[in-house]
């Protein structure tokens, strides 16, 4: 699928709202960098191929080990070079304290593919059995690191641009996250549906539309998209 430079720019906003971050190299250029443990190696490989298809300057490294407070883990990493003004882009995504926030600029411009990239990083679809035996599902977008003003802007963006009603739920330690009930997650799913054939099969558990109480990583992509 062909993307214009502007569409690529707006899609990368979703990357940066999620797990990716802006990295500045010695030449003061900004790069979008994503690092994941190797249980998401396929996803990192997919991002690499995506950036290359978009003709962005891309670097990557795979299967390297880092020591953390929980022990040693194996990671993979991919980066692509921004094609926009680095100072402007930084201010659109980070506040004056260097903390990510959801700006009005981003809210007005992030596109559907950007929402998909954001969900692949920070989205979670929960399917569970209620006490009465019925099966329910809901989605949540991990926005815990954003301030409350950003949560309001995110909520407004979903409603005004995509007619999706999300709620702001309070989590532990005074943080917040975005919640989709079953009806509005279905709207979100339908919004992303045209692009789902592009993502790695290993990430399709984030779109379990079958009311089955587990992550259906092995279920076929075709079956998930055609369900209903």
């Amino acid at each position: 699928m062909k993307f214009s430079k502007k569409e690529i720019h707006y899609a990368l906003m979703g990357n940066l709202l999620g797990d990716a971050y802006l990295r500045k190299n010695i030449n003061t250029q900004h790069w979008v960098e994503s690092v994941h443990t190797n249980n998401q190696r396929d996803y990192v490989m997919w991002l690499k191929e995506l950036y290359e298809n978009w003709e962005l300057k891309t670097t990557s490294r795979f299967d390297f080990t880092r020591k953390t407070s929980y022990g040693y883990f194996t990671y993979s990493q991919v980066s692509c070079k921004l094609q926009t003004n680095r100072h402007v882009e930084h201010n659109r995504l980070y506040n004056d304290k260097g903390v990510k926030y959801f700006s009005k600029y981003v809210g007005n411009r992030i596109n559907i593919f950007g929402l998909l990239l954001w969900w692949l990083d920070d989205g979670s679809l929960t399917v569970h059995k209620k006490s009465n035996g019925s099966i329910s599902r809901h989605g949540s977008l991990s926005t815990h690191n954003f301030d409350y003003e950003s949560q309001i802007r995110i909520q407004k963006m979903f409603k005004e641009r995509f007619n999706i009603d999300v709620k702001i739920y309070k989590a532990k330690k005074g943080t917040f996250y975005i919640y989709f009930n079953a009806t509005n997650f279905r709207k979100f799913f339908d919004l992303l549906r045209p692009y789902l054939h592009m993502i790695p099969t290993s990430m399709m558990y984030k779109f379990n539309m079958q009311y089955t109480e587990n992550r259906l990583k092995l279920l076929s992509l075709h079956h998930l998209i055609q369900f209903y």
Side-chain angles (χ1 to χ4, degrees):
M1 188 173 293
K2 187 69 174 177
F3 285 79
S4 68
K5 288 185 178 181
K6 184 177 290 186
E7 288 170 331
I8 292 170
H9 175 208
Y10 296 161
L12 287 174
M13 290 177 179
N15 244 175
L16 288 163
L17 290 170
D19 293 334
Y21 57 93
L22 282 179
R23 173 177 61 82
K24 185 169 68 174
N25 70 5
I26 58 175
N27 296 317
T28 68
Q29 298 167 336
H30 270 106
W31 292 66
V32 177
E33 184 163 288
S34 296
V35 182
H36 293 273
T37 57
N38 261 20
N39 62 345
Q40 290 190 318
R41 190 182 192 279
D42 288 350
Y43 177 50
V44 176
M45 178 62 75
W46 177 76
L47 286 174
K48 176 180 181 293
E49 293 173 354
L50 181 70
Y51 298 157
E52 291 174 343
N53 287 337
W54 284 345
E55 298 181 348
L56 301 174
K57 186 174 182 180
T58 304
T59 64
S60 61
R61 60 178 179 144
F62 292 87
D63 311 319
F64 60 93
T65 301
R66 283 182 178 173
K67 183 179 181 180
T68 73
S69 56
Y70 298 99
Y72 288 91
F73 291 90
T74 305
Y75 294 87
S76 291
Q77 171 185 311
V78 63
S79 306
C80 68
K81 184 181 176 183
L82 278 178
Q83 296 180 317
T84 54
N85 183 287
R86 62 184 180 84
H87 295 296
V88 172
E89 202 65 25
H90 187 275
N91 293 336
R92 289 168 178 167
L93 293 155
Y94 294 84
N95 62 23
D96 55 5
K97 296 180 181 179
V99 178
K100 281 186 186 181
Y101 79 115
F102 192 85
S103 67
K104 292 180 181 179
Y105 181 91
V106 172
N108 289 333
R109 289 167 177 80
I110 185 173
N111 56 21
I112 295 172
F113 201 86
L115 294 179
L116 173 64
L117 292 177
W118 194 6
W119 185 263
L120 289 174
D121 272 354
D122 288 343
S124 176
L125 180 60
T126 300
V127 183
H128 66 280
K129 183 179 290 186
K130 295 182 178 180
S131 57
N132 62 8
S134 64
I135 302 294
S136 178
R137 69 168 173 245
H138 67 267
S140 58
L141 189 59
S142 177
T143 54
H144 300 79
N145 293 328
F146 292 92
D147 60 23
Y148 191 73
E149 185 177 354
S150 291
Q151 312 284 344
I152 295 294
R153 289 196 188 111
I154 294 168
Q155 184 182 50
K156 184 177 180 180
M157 177 270 296
F158 273 112
K159 178 62 178 177
E160 293 186 352
R161 293 189 55 203
F162 305 108
N163 195 31
I164 296 174
D165 291 298
V166 300
K167 296 181 179 180
I168 301 170
Y169 274 21
K170 190 171 184 178
K172 296 178 179 179
K173 298 181 180 179
T175 60
F176 302 89
Y177 65 95
I178 298 298
Y179 174 92
F180 299 74
N181 63 18
T183 299
N184 285 283
F185 184 80
R186 176 60 204 229
K187 289 183 180 180
F188 186 55
F189 175 88
D190 287 339
L191 185 71
L192 303 182
R193 183 195 293 263
Y195 300 113
L196 294 186
H197 70 281
M198 297 173 62
I199 72 173
T201 303
S202 60
M203 299 300 287
M204 281 305 300
Y205 69 89
K206 288 178 177 275
F207 300 96
N208 173 12
M209 300 300 287
Q210 290 202 320
Y211 285 102
T212 302
E213 288 186 280
N214 54 28
R215 293 183 170 186
L216 300 182
K217 292 186 178 182
L218 301 180
L219 196 60
S220 74
L221 177 64
H222 176 80
H223 194 180
L224 283 168
I225 295 176
Q226 296 299 322
F227 194 74
Y228 290 120

